[in-house]
Amino acid sequence: MSGETVSQAPAWFTELFAHRRWIRRSGPFPHVYVRDVFVEDFYQRLADEYQRVLGARASAFSRVADNYSADGIPLADLRNGPLALFTSREWHDLIASVAGVEVTGDVEGSIHHHRPDSPAGWPHNDLNPAWFAGPAPGPGEVRLPDPSVDTKTGAKSDGVTARETVRAVAVLFYLGNPGWQPGDGGETGLYANIADPAPTLAVPPLDNSMVLFECTPRSWHTYLGYNRAPRSSIVMWLHRSKDDAVQRWGGDRIVQW
């Protein structure tokens, strides 16, 4: 992986990572895959905190989207423990550097929890708009979704300003799936073509592993479902300005909700 940003990051951050063997793959579309992202001690802290949240705040998990089998809790609600790493500026800058995308500092994400035998999703590319309140965050800051602005539609409270951005980089980090084996289901499917009936590549939900990619018109992916056990992950996005997205992909390629 690119080491520029990591070398400039504080020691507390760099010491969380197990190694620098982040693998770039070109197919079925460009993405980065990582096994054993964090050192074991920190991964276990993340997994323990996830299990604590799942047990203590089960009612805070709500359906992520209509006709989609995951329940989720926003990362914006989990900033007082180890899961706050995923909304830190250091993590934001690392992911942006690896993806090679100029982003705004706006971050959206949640923990996704699929119950056993959840149905599959549908291939999609995540090239969607997202609205955030207030001005763009400054250097060293991140902006998270705010209740005063509907992230998907931009509807806002009186007196609140909102900016339209577009999802730029998607991250899926797997945790809380101990003992997963081939045949257990719950992989993330990556597709060369949205019309393909089967994924070109199935990414297993192995604990402490991660896949990330730039959101493009061809970054087709989905949850493959039919998991024997609960399947969990952290799903998040960095964002780019709408002008940048339109210039790079064309406004008609942005998928409205």
Side-chain angles (χ1 to χ4, degrees):
M1 66 179 179
S2 170
E4 182 177 354
T5 298
V6 176
S7 64
Q8 297 173 351
W12 70 261
F13 182 71
T14 59
E15 290 171 356
L16 300 178
F17 295 89
H19 54 69
R20 298 167 63 88
R21 295 187 298 276
W22 291 28
I23 301 169
R24 293 187 185 276
R25 294 169 170 168
S26 58
F29 55 81
H31 64 280
V32 172
Y33 180 69
V34 192
R35 286 287 305 273
D36 301 321
V37 178
F38 299 109
V39 295
E40 180 58 29
D41 177 68
F42 186 67
Y43 169 73
Q44 196 57 53
R45 289 181 61 200
L46 292 172
D48 290 348
E49 177 66 2
Y50 165 61
Q51 292 297 334
R52 188 195 68 78
V53 170
L54 186 63
R57 303 180 61 182
S59 61
F61 282 75
S62 60
R63 188 52 52 99
V64 172
D66 293 340
N67 301 319
Y68 187 59
S69 58
D71 296 322
I73 182 170
L75 291 176
D77 293 349
L78 303 170
R79 306 198 74 190
N80 293 319
L83 293 167
L85 173 84
F86 295 101
T87 52
S88 69
R89 184 71 192 203
E90 288 80 5
W91 177 258
H92 168 279
D93 290 350
L94 171 62
I95 297 301
S97 175
V98 170
V101 179
E102 185 173 345
V103 290
T104 59
D106 298 293
V107 176
E108 180 197 1
S110 59
I111 293 178
H112 284 192
H113 174 79
H114 294 267
R115 300 176 186 276
D117 201 28
S118 292
W122 57 92
H124 56 283
N125 61 15
D126 279 0
L127 192 61
N128 307 116
W131 295 79
F132 290 85
E141 298 178 337
V142 294
R143 184 84 71 239
L144 304 179
D146 185 285
S148 64
V149 176
D150 188 304
T151 307
K152 291 186 176 180
T153 68
K156 57 187 178 60
S157 303
D158 292 343
V160 174
T161 60
R163 290 172 295 110
E164 185 178 8
T165 68
V166 176
R167 287 176 170 175
V169 183
V171 179
L172 294 92
F173 175 78
Y174 303 100
L175 80 171
N177 309 298
W180 187 92
Q181 295 291 325
D184 286 346
E187 299 96 332
T188 300
L190 308 184
Y191 295 76
N193 191 304
I194 193 173
D196 293 342
T200 309
L201 179 66
V203 179
L206 296 170
D207 283 349
N208 201 15
S209 70
M210 178 174 70
V211 61
L212 69 93
F213 50 84
E214 183 176 8
C215 301
T216 79
R218 301 185 64 84
S219 56
W220 305 114
H221 63 282
T222 196
Y223 172 66
L224 294 180
Y226 305 106
N227 45 309
R228 294 180 178 175
R231 186 274 213 181
S232 302
S233 61
I234 292 173
V235 180
M236 61 178 295
W237 300 269
L238 310 188
H239 298 77
R240 64 197 334 149
S241 69
K242 183 178 181 182
D243 287 346
D244 182 33
V246 169
Q247 182 176 16
R248 181 162 175 75
W249 306 118
D252 61 334
R253 308 301 293 275
I254 299 171
V255 181
Q256 302 299 318
W257 299 104

